[in-house]
Amino acid sequence: MPSREEIEKVLDEIRPALRFDGGDVELVDVQEDGTVLVRLVGACSGCGMSVLTLKAGIERVLKQRFPQIKEVKDVNMDIPTTFGF
C-alpha cells in the first residue's frame, strides 16, 4: 500500500479543482485491505455531485497511481442525513 505521504501528494494535485468549487478533501485513513478513507469538506460535503467527484475523480486518479488501492470511501457518506426532520 502507498504511504499517507504518497497519497497526500496525489490529493494535493486534485485539491485545486475541488477548491475552485469551494470544496476540499481530507485523508482520514489508509487501510491494509486497500481502502482509502477520505472526508469531503466544504462545498463538496453533501453536494449532489459528491459521489461522482469521489468515484470518477479522486478514486480514479488514486487507482491509476496506486493499482493496489481497491476503493476510496467518504466517511461522511456513512452519516445519516435527516434534513432537520
Side-chain angles (χ1 to χ4, degrees), residues 9-24:
K9 284 182 183 180
V10 176
L11 291 177
D12 282 342
E13 296 173 17
I14 298 168
R15 283 187 173 107
L18 299 175
R19 289 176 178 160
F20 181 78
D21 288 329
D24 206 345

Side-chain angles (χ1 to χ4, degrees), residues 7 14 20-24 32 36-38 43 48 50-51 60 68 70-72 74-77 79-80:
I7 292 174
I14 298 168
F20 181 78
D21 288 329
D24 206 345
E32 291 183 23
V36 175
L37 300 177
V38 298
S50 63
V51 173
R60 181 184 57 82
Q68 61 271 45
K70 289 195 286 185
E71 183 177 18
V72 178
D74 180 1
V75 296
N76 289 333
M77 289 189 184
I79 299 171

Side-chain angles (χ1 to χ4, degrees), residues 22-34:
D24 206 345
V25 61
E26 297 173 351
L27 179 59
V28 175
D29 193 22
V30 180
Q31 300 181 330
E32 291 183 23
D33 69 352

Side-chain angles (χ1 to χ4, degrees), residues 3 12 16 22 29-30 34-35 43 45 51-52 62 66 75:
S3 69
D12 282 342
D29 193 22
V30 180
T35 302
S45 178
V51 173
L52 184 61
L62 285 174
F66 310 109
V75 296

